[in-house]
Amino acid sequence: QKEVEQDPGPLSVPEGAIVSLNCTYSNSAFQYFMWYRQYSRKGPELLMYTYSSGNKEDGRFTAQVDKSSKYISLFIRDSQPSDSATYLCAMSTSGTYKYIFGTGTRLKVLA
Amino acid sequence: GAGVSQSPRYKVAKRGQDVALRCDPISGHVSLFWYQQALGQGPEFLTYFQNEAQLDKSGLPSDRFFAERPEGSVSTLKIQRTQQEDSAVYLCASSFAQGLNTEAFFGQGTRLTVV
């Protein structure tokens, strides 16, 4: 079993929909949680960076961390075709520099 | 430049050939990371530098892989005697602080194809 599990998709939604992307993890020591967006043939772009549990909002994006369930989510409101990309979750433990990534979820927002 | 720059963007190597991949981190960034991303997978950690010091190379898959950052800025990842399983995208990332739990910014990667 991988430390971080993420459904690879693809996930197809109509323009304007609310998108929910999720990751589960097994290592209870993870304290830092990141979401990256990766367009085809591009490098990952940092979207959200959160510490421990709770919510963080940035524009149309909301990140949620539920450490008791070992579950993190990224919500995208009013999704746009330009949001079509692969979304990667990443995590790390305190006092380290290694990120452990999920496999990524491919999202398609249909116009 | 404003972001992490990697070159070349694409590299085709014959099996057994040596390759060198270059990373120019964001100016002033202390920490530099190399990750390997296989097709359809998330990036996997290879190695970490704090300035010129290579503090962790535990992710390097074999002794054919070697990384350096001699002056604490530009880094080179070298792969000797390339094999087909080395085909992947090699991503470089940098962060301002000393690596612990800091936000890392990635370059566009070098796509290596070994034929």
Side-chain angles (χ1 to χ4, degrees):
Chain A
Q1 184 185 6
K2 292 185 176 181
E3 276 191 286
V4 179
E5 298 279 357
Q6 188 174 10
D7 187 329
L11 174 64
S12 294
V13 300
E15 184 175 356
I18 297 175
V19 175
S20 173
L21 302 166
N22 312 295
C23 288
T24 59
Y25 61 94
S26 57
N27 187 350
S28 58
F30 285 139
Q31 295 271 27
Y32 295 84
F33 304 92
M34 285 71 67
W35 285 97
Y36 283 85
R37 176 174 64 195
Q38 187 171 29
Y39 291 113
S40 180
R41 298 187 178 271
K42 300 288 186 184
E45 172 193 4
L46 182 65
L47 287 176
M48 302 289 277
Y49 181 91
T50 56
Y51 169 70
S52 196
S53 284
N55 294 1
K56 183 175 183 179
E57 189 172 321
D58 185 0
R60 297 185 295 114
F61 299 92
T62 300
Q64 284 187 353
V65 175
D66 182 349
K67 292 190 69 183
S68 62
S69 302
K70 299 192 184 70
Y71 187 89
I72 69 169
S73 301
L74 178 71
F75 297 96
I76 307 174
R77 291 183 297 281
D78 187 24
S79 57
Q80 303 295 312
S82 57
D83 294 327
S84 298
T86 295
Y87 289 80
L88 295 155
C89 63
M91 312 179 186
S92 67
T93 58
S94 182
T96 187
Y97 36 73
K98 294 183 189 181
Y99 288 4
I100 307 299
F101 282 85
T103 55
T105 298
R106 195 152 57 97
L107 171 68
K108 294 181 181 179
V109 180
L110 306 172
Chain B
V4 178
S5 178
Q6 292 187 246
S7 61
R9 286 292 316 279
Y10 303 93
K11 176 70 178 178
V12 178
K14 291 185 178 180
R15 193 172 60 174
Q17 186 178 355
D18 297 349
V19 298
L21 312 179
R22 177 187 169 103
C23 173
D24 281 87
I26 295 171
S27 179
H29 277 199
V30 168
S31 295
L32 186 144
F33 312 81
W34 283 98
Y35 282 79
Q36 180 191 58
Q37 187 174 24
L39 187 64
Q41 301 297 314
E44 292 196 359
F45 173 83
L46 293 177
T47 188
Y48 164 64
F49 288 87
Q50 183 179 313
N51 296 306
E52 69 278 3
Q54 188 175 20
L55 298 188
D56 189 336
K57 54 182 180 179
S58 62
L60 296 176
S62 77
D63 59 7
R64 297 185 295 104
F65 287 71
F66 171 77
E68 60 182 5
R69 193 186 185 197
E71 297 178 357
S73 55
V74 171
S75 177
T76 304
L77 176 66
K78 297 179 179 178
I79 308 173
Q80 297 177 324
R81 305 180 303 281
T82 52
Q83 304 294 315
Q84 283 192 320
E85 61 263 28
D86 300 335
S87 295
V89 175
Y90 290 85
L91 294 164
C92 177
S94 70
S95 67
F96 179 74
Q98 292 182 2
L100 297 181
N101 306 121
T102 59
E103 300 175 41
F105 298 90
F106 283 82
Q108 295 198 52
T110 294
R111 182 176 297 271
L112 173 65
T113 303
V114 181
V115 298

